[in-house]
């Protein structure tokens, strides 16, 4: 092969020749001498041209190779590894290696490089510009380079270790020794390799290479320099450069062995490391050797805490001091310290290995410090050295190697980041800093405060870091790919961005105190738009995701602080660039195939969170800009066009439409749906986003209900994070669909079709009048709908997905912790709800879940352990350590389990929203409403009774059941075609649609089981009680029980025809009776448990719980057919307790405060129960109340108490609309109802006996409350409300039954009754609205009450005429008593009643209406 004079081509040809030689060695027969000769000649050329050196320097060490993608580098490194393994293991090549090794040993002068090369030594002691290298040295360095990238390839590679053992024998010069030790340092980069290398250098493998050689050499030179100083020599002897190189190589091996060695074994390897420190203070020791010494020392820091403390002591004893003065001052005395070595020694060489290693060592030591109570005061001198002497002038220094410039900057930035993240400051520290007039001493200054002041005033550190950022993302990308220092520069940029974030997390707390001298960092950045743009454009840097994350976080912080950030970006003409950069970043994340474990490190999630967080900020905001809204015009009127504009919105919609890679992108889908939901909820963005999502292409992604929604969840033990994310993803999808159903205007055809698509995909049905539209037959609108004849209700499938038991999150402490008495301390730590920033152990996740911060929790546990260590034995210490490990594992599981619980509840909330909205708002769009409602109600109750259902889930499910039951009740009791329709018949009303009895029985049984579930709460039972009451109301008869069946048959006679033979009144009555008996039977089976539970809530629950409990007891009595529940209540003393509570409440004269208003509702419920007793059981119920002394208790009450202000919403039934006030007089009505029920017992009494007990008690009640009766009887009936009319009717009914037997007329009730007769008997009942009520329904009820009044008054006249022998005049004469009624009045009443009957006959269907109340 001819190469001409081109050395590059010749080098690559040499590499090809090397590969070809290996191929020949593997494929050719060694017995063929000619072939062997050809191979040998190739090897001669390879070694003569040193192709090993070319392959290493011109290929493997180039920036293009070093900075390439990790997978690509791994692949090609693997190929090179196979090539070299074949080369070093084949007998032919081994012979050649032996030859070149012998040549290298004899060709080079032992341990003495040429004189002219001494000043060109690099920072690692390597000779920079050697004209040629021996092939053997290049071979060792090549093998080292291969395994430097992928050290795992050396594990178990016996051929490699055989070569290593051979290569390490009989070294006679520095170059071969350094190359060999360099190879060992690379092979020690794994735990297996470190142990192997340690054994090689520890044993007898080599005669002159070993750990003893290293430490002996260090001790010899230390002794030599010490004697030189003691002999008063002016100049210390030179350090031989060959020895320095060898020591550097040894120290590199030592560093790798300690860093990667087994955590337990390495503690025993090097018991005495003091020799590593003894040469640090000598001026004649080369800086690169000091750097190697410190780097090896750094590796020992993590070996053990004891060794770390020893390192601190050795450094103070041997290393160069850091002589500092307060910030802004300099020392006048010149001493040989770190400042001198940096500025005088290293600066002249333009190489800084000593300073870099010093900073790394100090950073590693400080970060391991556990006692940070002094907040870094003891390290203030080091901070000042880093801040003023190293980082301040670092841009102006000259560097022989650009890599060192960025390593120096990186070490300084690591120190700054450590200061910002490790220490916290209190308000006292801030005020102490402000109140100090004179310059503080070094011990009183805080590194954190000084660094924050620098950034908040735009000084040295800020300017230098900002200048790194201002290089620009494009320049950084170029250097990252073309320069060997690109990786270090990349890390420097990352640290710079992280420091900006850390500063902005703290600057606001200081700004209020430090203004105007110091400003928040955003104010400093806003002084130049270029600074903000430079920070934000790093979202385009896709080589390192952490840099993108930092840029996105900075965007989030700035967007929350700078109101005009969007205008700033537009003014800088970078708006379009920012939009496209974020879109590209998001698209790249969607297309990625790698699962990101920590969601905090997911640039896609960070971008979507940024968009969500900015939605509610003043317009135009970052969300509007990045999603393509018109930020120069009106946000509300934007027409979004994702097809024509490359933005985050386009990426989100495209990926949600495809919904690919759910195992990787589930988290992105989750936050994308959340973003769309929040956009639809926001007033500004709602219109444009709803218009876009309602189109046929998207239709709010309702098609995913059948794909994403019902896909089985992954197992908890296989991928719990994905399981959690998928639950949240479905939750946001369902919430978005619910919101779309709620706010869509279905008068628009687009929105109507979108709503129908949602309902069809979710509930599997839609109304017939919509199925013929283009919606069902449009492939774009609803995919494959026409292919499925009857779709399953996906809502039920979604609920099945939710029904699983979440794992327990309770704490289970190891036995040892209880015996040591520290269980209470741990519980106290966990009870403290503060976040770790405020001294607690919690943090809030991106979803808002409060989780345990494992690092903070570990620190708390370690503090407790350290306090106890001195009191424990060794076994107890080991047990305590294991217990701490157990608690940390529990905390990790707790976080995951808590997240899963929250996700499950979140999805259930979304499920409940879409069900409730569809049922309450879009019921008219369904085809079979009753069946759908039954399915939903049945499924909700089934889920509630499941043992896997938590209390919180049961509460949400019960709310859904309430909504469905309310809608079922509306369907039954609301008139089919409206109350004013002429097409509605009595038959239509009576035969209104109702669920079959079997379905109702099933619902009641499940409701009872749900109420009696083991895990419950009062707030849940209150909802279940309300559901039970709603169910009983649904099952109640639509027919008025006061209307006799014979009358109903007569009214229905004209409407009954042959087609309706199956729907007869008898059938309706029969079905209702069967349902009532079935309900009673179901309840009776669990009566004991139900009554016990309800009674417990009635006695011990909250006021709202008590009220509902009494209403439930009321309902149980209403379905009681065998006086079973009556006996249950009597045996528990509930009735007597109710009566006592009512009497006590009415006897008190306390104001109705907010809590008393709830008590008022409870009393109202207790009255309802007492009334139900007398109403349902008739005279028997009244006798029971009377036997408990009801009349005596009520007689002693104060019914005319003062007015008390309350919340009118709490007791809406008894609120006065004009004043919003209530008083005890509102309870007059239920009191009169109870007394009225007692008058039914008067009919069976002996009326001839004036002293009859019942009569006397009622009369005494009337006398006791004369003011009440007088105020009622004298009320003007014109325009009176229904409540007053009812009170009047009951008062008259009571008096008409008993007052005729009262001989004393001191109460003037007779005159009031006669006066009422005058006003009522003259009314023309034949005309419409003779009661002058405001609406038809109230007028009908008022008329009914008025007829009842007339009946009571006429009955009273009849008693007066028959029992009192009272005589009536025919009409009023001149001298007649105008107060007494006349026969003419009675005649007028009868005539008026006749006309009223004729009118009612024409409106006969009104008799079927139930009475109000």
């Amino acid at each position: 092969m001819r190469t001409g004079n081109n050395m590059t081509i010749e080098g690559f040809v040499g590499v090809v020749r090397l590969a070809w030689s290996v191929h020949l060695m593997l494929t050719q027969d060694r017995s063929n001498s000619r072939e062997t000769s050809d191979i040998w000649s190739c090897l001669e050329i390879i070694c003569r041209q040193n192709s090993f050196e070319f392959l290493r320097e011109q290929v493997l060490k180039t920036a293009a190779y070093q900075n390439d993608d990790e997978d690509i580098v791994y692949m090609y490194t693997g190929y090179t590894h196979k090539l070299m393994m074949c080369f070093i293991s084949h007998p032919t090549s081994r012979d050649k290696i032996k030859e070149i090794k012998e040549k290298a040993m004899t060709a080079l002068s032992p341990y003495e490089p040429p004189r002219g090369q001494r000043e060109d030594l690099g920072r690692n002691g390597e000779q920079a510009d050697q004209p040629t290298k021996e092939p053997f040295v290049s071979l060792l360095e090549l093998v080292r380079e291969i395994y430097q990238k992928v050290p795992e390839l050396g594990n178990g590679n016996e051929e490699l270790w055989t070569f290593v053992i051979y290569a390490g024998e009989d070294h006679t010069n520095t170059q071969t020794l350094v190359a060999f030790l360099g190879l060992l340092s690379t092979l020690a980069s794994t735990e297996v390799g470190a142990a192997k290398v340690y054994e090689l250098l520890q044993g007898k493998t080599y005669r002159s290479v070993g750990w003893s050689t290293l430490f002996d050499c260090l001790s010899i030179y230390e002794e030599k320099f010490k004697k030189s100083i003691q002999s008063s020599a002016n100049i210390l002897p030179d350090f031989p450069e060959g020895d320095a190189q060898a020591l550097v190589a040894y120290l590199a091996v030592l560093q790798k062995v300690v860093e990667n060695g087994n955590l337990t074994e390495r503690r025993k390897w090097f018991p005495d490391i003091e020799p590593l420190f003894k040469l640090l203070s000598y001026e004649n020791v080369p800086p690169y050797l000091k750097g190697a010494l410190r780097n090896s020392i750094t590796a020992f820091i993590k070996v053990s805490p004891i060794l770390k403390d020893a390192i601190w002591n050795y450094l103070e004893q041997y290393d160069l001091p850091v002589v500092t003065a307060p910030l802004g001052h300099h020392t006048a005395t010149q001493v040989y310290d770190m400042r001198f070595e940096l500025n005088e020694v290293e600066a002249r060489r333009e190489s800084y290995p000593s300073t870099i290693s010093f900073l790394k060592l100090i950073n590693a030591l400080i970060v391991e410090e556990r006692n940070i109570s002094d907040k870094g005061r003891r390290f203030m001198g080091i901070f000042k050295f880093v801040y003023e002497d190293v980082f301040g002038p670092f841009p102006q220094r000259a560097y022989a190697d650009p890599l060192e410039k960025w390593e120096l900057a990186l070490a300084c930035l690591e120190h700054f980041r450590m200061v910002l993240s490790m220490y916290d400051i209190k308000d006292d520290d801030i005020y102490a800093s402000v109140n100090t007039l004179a310059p503080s001493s070094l011990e009183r200054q805080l590194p954190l405060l000084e660094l924050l002041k620098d950034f908040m005033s735009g000084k040295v550190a800020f300017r230098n870091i900002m200048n790194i950022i201002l290089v620009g993302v494009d320049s950084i990308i170029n250097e990252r790919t073309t320069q060997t220092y690109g990786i270090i520069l990349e890390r420097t940029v990352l640290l710079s961005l992280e420091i900006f974030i850390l500063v902005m997390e703290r600057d606001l707390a200081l700004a209020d105190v430090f203004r105007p001298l110091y400003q928040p960092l955003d104010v400093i950045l806003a002084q130049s738009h270029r600074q903000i743009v430079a920070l934000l454009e790093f979202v385009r840097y896709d080589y390192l995701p952490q840099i993108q994350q930092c840029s996105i976080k900075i965007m989030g912080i700035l967007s929350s602080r700078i109101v005009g950030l969007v205008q700033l970006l537009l003014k800088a003409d970078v708006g379009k660039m920012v939009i496209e950069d974020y879109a590209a970043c998001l698209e790249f994340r969607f297309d990625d195939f790698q699962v990101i474990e920590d969601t905090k490190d997911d640039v896609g999630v960070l971008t979507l969170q940024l968009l969500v967080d900015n939605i509610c900020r003043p317009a135009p905001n970052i969300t509007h800009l990045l999603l393509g809204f018109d930020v120069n015009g009106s946000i509300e009127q934007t027409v979004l066009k994702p097809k024509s504009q490359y933005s985050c919105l386009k990426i989100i919609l495209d990926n949600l439409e495809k919904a690919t890679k759910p195992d990787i992108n589930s988290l992105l889908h989750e936050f994308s749906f959340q973003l769309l939901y929040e956009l639809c909820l926001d007033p500004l963005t709602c219109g444009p986003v709803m218009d876009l999502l309602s189109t046929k292409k998207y239709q709010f992604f309702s098609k995913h209900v059948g794909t994403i929604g019902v896909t089985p969840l992954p197992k908890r033990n296989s991928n719990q994070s994905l399981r959690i994310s998928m639950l949240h993803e479905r939750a946001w999808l369902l919430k978005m669909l619910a919101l779309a159903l709620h706010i869509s205007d279905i008068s628009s055809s687009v929105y109507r079709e979108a709503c129908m698509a949602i309902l069809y995909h979710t509930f599997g049905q839609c109304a017939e009048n919509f199925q013929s539209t283009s919606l069902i037959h449009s492939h774009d609108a609803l995919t494959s709908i026409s292919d499925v004849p009857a779709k399953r209700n996906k809502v039920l499938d979604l609920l099945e997905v939710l029904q699983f038991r979440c794992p327990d999150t309770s704490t289970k402490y190891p036995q040892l912790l209880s015996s040591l008495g520290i269980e209470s301390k741990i519980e106290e730590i966990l009870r403290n709800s503060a976040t770790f920033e405020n001294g607690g152990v919690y943090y809030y996740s991106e979803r808002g879940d409060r989780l345990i911060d494992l690092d903070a929790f570990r620190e708390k546990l370690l503090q407790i352990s350290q306090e106890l260590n001195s009191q424990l034995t060794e076994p107890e210490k080991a047990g305590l350590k294991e217990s701490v490990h157990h608690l940390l594992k529990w905390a990790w599981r707790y976080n995951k389990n808590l997240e899963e619980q929250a996700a499950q509840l979140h999805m259930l909330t979304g499920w409940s929203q879409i069900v409730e909205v569809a049922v309450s708002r879009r019921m008219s769009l369904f085809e079979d409403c009753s069946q759908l409602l039954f399915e939903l109600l049945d499924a909700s109750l089934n889920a509630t009774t499941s043992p896997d259902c938590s209390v919180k889930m049961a509460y949400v499910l019960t709310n859904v059941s309430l909504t469905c039951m309310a809608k079922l009740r509306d369907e039954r009791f609301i008139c089919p075609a409206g109350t004013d329709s002429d097409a509605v018949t009595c038959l239509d009303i009576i035969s209104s649609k109702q669920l079959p009895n079997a379905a109702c029985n099933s619902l009641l049984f499940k409701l009872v089981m749900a109420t009696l579930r083991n895990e419950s709460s009062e707030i849940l039972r209150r909802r279940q009680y309300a559901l039970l009451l709603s169910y009983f109301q649904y099952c109640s008869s639509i027919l008025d029980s006061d209307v006799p069946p014979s009358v109903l048959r007569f009214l229905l006679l004209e409407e009954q025809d042959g087609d309706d033979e199956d729907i007869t009144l008898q059938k309706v009555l029969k079905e209702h009776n069967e349902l009532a008996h079935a309900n009673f039977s179901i309840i009776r089976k669990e009566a004991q448990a139900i009554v016990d539970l309800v009674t417990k809530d009635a006695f011990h629950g909250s006021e709202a719980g008590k009220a509902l409990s009494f209403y439930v007891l009321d309902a149980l009595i209403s379905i009681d057919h065998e006086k079973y529940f009556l006996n249950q209540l009597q045996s528990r003393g509930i009735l007597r307790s109710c009566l006592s509570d009512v009497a006590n409440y009415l006897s008190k004269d306390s104001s109705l405060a907010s809590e008393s208003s709830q008590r008022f509702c409870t009393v109202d419920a207790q009255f309802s129960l007492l009334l139900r007793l007398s109403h349902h059981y008739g005279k028997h119920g009244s006798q029971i109340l009377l036997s408990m002394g009801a009349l005596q208790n009520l007689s002693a009450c104060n019914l005319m108490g003062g007015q008390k202000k309350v919340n009118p919403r709490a007791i809406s039934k008894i609120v006065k609309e004009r004043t919003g006030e209530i008083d005890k007089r509102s309870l007059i009505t239920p009191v009169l109802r109870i007394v009225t029920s007692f008058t039914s017992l008067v009919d069976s009494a002996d009326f001839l006996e004036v002293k009859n007990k019942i009569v006397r008690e009622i009369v005494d009640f009337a006398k006791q409350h004369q003011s009440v009766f007088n105020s009622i009887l004298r009320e003007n009936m014109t325009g009176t409300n229904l409540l007053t009319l009812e009170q009047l009717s009951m008062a008259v009914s009571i008096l008409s039954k008993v007052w005729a037997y009262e001989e004393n007329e001191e109460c003037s009730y007779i005159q009031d009754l006669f006066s009422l007769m005058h006003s009522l008997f003259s009314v023309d009942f034949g005309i419409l609205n003779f009661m002058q009520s405001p609406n038809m329904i109230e007028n009908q009820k008022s008329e009914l009450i008025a007829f009842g009044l007339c009946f009571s008054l006429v009955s009273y006249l009849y008693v007066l005429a028959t029992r009192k022998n009272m005589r009536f005049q025919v009409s009023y004469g001149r001298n007649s008593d105008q107060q007494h009624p006349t026969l003419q009045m009675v005649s007028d009443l009868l005539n008026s009643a006749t006309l009223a009957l004729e009118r009612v006959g024409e409106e006969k269907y009104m008799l079927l209406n139930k009475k109000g109340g």
Side-chain angles (χ1 to χ4, degrees), residues 118 121 217-218 220-222 224-225 236-248 279 282-286 288-289 293:
R118 295 182 182 178
L121 291 173
C217 187
L218 292 175
I220 290 170
Y221 277 107
E222 191 271 337
K224 179 180 178 181
F225 295 155
L236 289 171
D238 289 340
F239 203 108
E241 292 173 1
D243 287 359
Q245 295 173 40
L247 285 173
V248 168
L279 297 181
Y282 292 104
E283 300 178 34
N284 61 328
V285 176
Y288 60 82
L289 178 54
L293 287 167

Side-chain angles (χ1 to χ4, degrees), residues 351-458:
S351 180
Y352 306 89
S354 178
T355 302
I356 293 172
S357 65
F358 176 79
L359 295 181
K360 290 181 177 179
L361 174 58
I362 292 300
N363 290 342
L365 282 168
I366 294 177
V367 81
E368 291 296 321
E369 286 295 312
R370 292 293 173 260
N371 182 13
I372 56 175
S373 57
D374 69 337
K375 300 171 186 176
R377 285 186 175 89
R378 55 188 162 142
F379 305 125
M380 187 61 200
I382 295 173
F383 171 77
K384 181 177 181 295
F385 169 70
V386 176
Y387 174 79
E388 287 189 349
D389 297 290
V390 183
F391 192 65
F394 109 91
Q396 291 79 36
R397 296 187 188 276
Y399 300 90
D401 184 359
L403 179 64
E404 285 193 348
K405 173 181 179 180
W406 298 116
E407 283 191 335
L408 193 65
L410 186 66
C412 294
L413 294 177
E414 285 280 8
H415 188 80
F416 294 155
R417 183 182 65 172
M418 182 178 60
V419 167
L420 289 167
S421 58
M422 276 185 64
Y423 305 119
D424 196 9
I425 51 174
K426 305 296 183 184
D427 292 341
D428 294 341
D429 301 318
I430 300 173
Y431 290 116
S433 174
V434 174
N435 296 332
T436 303
L437 299 179
S440 302
S441 64
L442 209 59
E443 293 76 14
R444 298 189 60 184
Q445 294 176 339
L446 292 177
L448 177 57
L449 272 179
E450 301 305 323
L451 188 58
L452 288 174
K453 288 178 181 179
D454 180 287
F455 276 85
M456 296 172 67
S457 57

Side-chain angles (χ1 to χ4, degrees), residues 98-108 134-135:
K98 181 178 180 182
E99 179 184 320
I100 61 176
K101 178 185 176 182
E102 292 174 353
K103 181 181 177 182
M105 295 300 181
T106 58
L108 297 176
E134 284 297 320

Side-chain angles (χ1 to χ4, degrees), residues 870-913:
S870 59
Q871 309 169 15
L872 303 178
T873 62
E874 287 301 324
E876 286 177 335
K877 289 180 181 178
L880 180 59
K881 184 177 180 180
E882 183 63 29
S883 299
V884 169
H885 181 65
H886 171 83
L887 280 175
L888 291 174
K889 287 177 64 177
W890 167 84
W892 182 87
R893 288 195 303 270
Y894 169 87
N895 285 347
K896 288 297 181 184
N897 296 340
L898 188 68
E899 284 185 295
E900 186 175 342
Q901 285 184 8
Q904 183 186 31
L905 190 61
H906 188 204
M907 182 179 172
L908 181 61
T909 303
W911 180 87
S912 69
Q913 287 182 7

Side-chain angles (χ1 to χ4, degrees), residues 536-542 548 551-552 555 574-592 602-608 610-611 622-629 641-655 658 668 672 675:
L536 301 184
E537 70 178 357
F538 274 94
V539 74
R540 189 162 71 247
Y541 191 89
D542 55 2
Q548 290 180 308
S551 182
I552 295 171
M555 169 70 93
V574 294
K576 184 178 180 181
M577 180 191 72
V578 171
I579 294 172
E580 293 177 352
D581 287 347
Y582 270 87
C585 177
L586 191 59
E587 183 178 26
F588 180 81
R589 173 60 186 87
F590 267 110
D591 294 339
D592 196 4
D602 193 328
V603 293
V605 172
L606 288 173
T607 301
L608 293 170
L610 172 70
L611 295 172
I622 289 298
T623 299
H624 301 151
L625 175 69
L626 297 182
L627 294 182
F629 285 85
K641 298 178 180 179
K643 286 185 178 181
S644 59
Q645 184 179 11
Y646 185 68
S647 66
C648 290
L649 183 62
K650 172 180 172 59
I651 304 303
I652 291 170
L653 295 178
D654 289 349
N655 282 278
K658 296 179 290 186
L668 298 183
S672 296
L675 173 65

Side-chain angles (χ1 to χ4, degrees), residues 621-884:
N621 56 45
I622 289 298
T623 299
H624 301 151
L625 175 69
L626 297 182
L627 294 182
F629 285 85
D630 183 8
V631 292
N632 292 316
S634 173
I635 302 296
E636 304 96 314
Q637 298 177 3
T638 300
V639 178
L640 295 172
K641 298 178 180 179
K643 286 185 178 181
S644 59
Q645 184 179 11
Y646 185 68
S647 66
C648 290
L649 183 62
K650 172 180 172 59
I651 304 303
I652 291 170
L653 295 178
D654 289 349
N655 282 278
L656 286 183
E657 188 178 10
K658 296 179 290 186
T660 56
K661 299 184 294 186
D663 53 334
I664 298 174
N665 289 338
S666 177
L667 200 63
L668 298 183
H669 295 158
E670 170 196 337
F671 284 98
S672 296
F673 281 126
Q674 180 187 2
L675 173 65
L676 295 181
Y677 171 78
E678 300 288 353
L679 289 171
C680 292
L681 201 60
D682 183 69
L684 286 179
T685 59
C686 174
V689 175
M690 289 284 292
D691 291 343
L692 175 65
L693 295 181
S694 63
T695 57
K696 287 186 177 181
K697 181 178 181 180
Y698 302 114
Q699 292 188 326
F700 298 98
F701 301 102
S702 56
K703 65 181 180 181
H704 287 319
V705 174
T707 56
I708 294 175
V710 298
T711 303
L713 296 172
K715 298 296 182 182
R716 182 180 297 122
N717 54 6
S718 61
N719 197 338
Q720 192 173 14
S721 297
L722 178 61
R723 179 184 178 93
I724 294 168
S725 181
M726 291 180 71
L727 287 168
H728 281 293
E729 175 187 4
R730 299 169 198 210
W732 289 116
L733 172 61
L734 294 175
K735 290 172 77 171
M736 181 178 69
L737 296 178
L739 184 63
L741 284 176
H742 181 70
I743 64 178
S744 291
D745 181 10
I746 61 173
S747 61
S748 165
S749 61
V750 175
Y751 279 104
R752 183 174 66 250
E753 289 189 8
C755 288
M756 291 305 302
I758 294 172
L759 295 177
Y760 195 89
H761 281 298
T762 308
F763 295 92
Q765 62 165 282
C766 55
E768 285 186 22
N769 56 330
F770 287 101
Q771 291 186 0
S772 59
T773 65
S774 61
L775 171 72
I776 301 304
H777 303 287
S778 170
H779 180 75
D780 294 332
L782 296 173
T783 307
S784 304
I785 283 184
S786 58
D787 299 334
V788 183
K791 293 196 70 173
R792 175 172 166 78
N793 190 344
K794 292 295 189 301
V795 168
L796 304 182
D797 296 337
L798 288 167
L799 189 56
E800 288 181 8
V801 171
L802 280 167
Q803 295 185 55
F804 59 86
R805 176 173 289 278
C806 271
D808 187 20
T809 57
S810 59
T811 315
K812 296 178 181 178
Y813 297 103
Q815 182 63 34
L816 178 62
L817 298 183
S818 302
S819 61
L820 292 176
I822 59 177
E823 185 176 323
S824 58
K825 294 182 179 180
I826 298 174
E827 288 180 350
E828 184 179 351
I829 291 172
L830 295 175
R831 278 198 301 267
N832 181 10
S833 60
T835 59
F836 68 91
E837 296 95 340
N838 298 319
V841 294
Y842 293 100
Y843 76 98
Y844 287 92
S845 69
E846 65 278 357
R847 298 187 183 101
D849 301 325
R850 196 190 71 174
L851 307 176
I852 297 176
D853 185 89
L854 298 182
D855 292 333
F857 190 44
R858 182 189 296 109
E859 290 295 326
K860 296 285 186 181
L861 294 176
L862 289 178
Q863 289 177 11
I864 296 175
S865 301
Q866 289 171 1
E867 293 173 1
L868 290 174
N869 269 342
S870 59
Q871 309 169 15
L872 303 178
T873 62
E874 287 301 324
E876 286 177 335
K877 289 180 181 178
L880 180 59
K881 184 177 180 180
E882 183 63 29
S883 299
V884 169

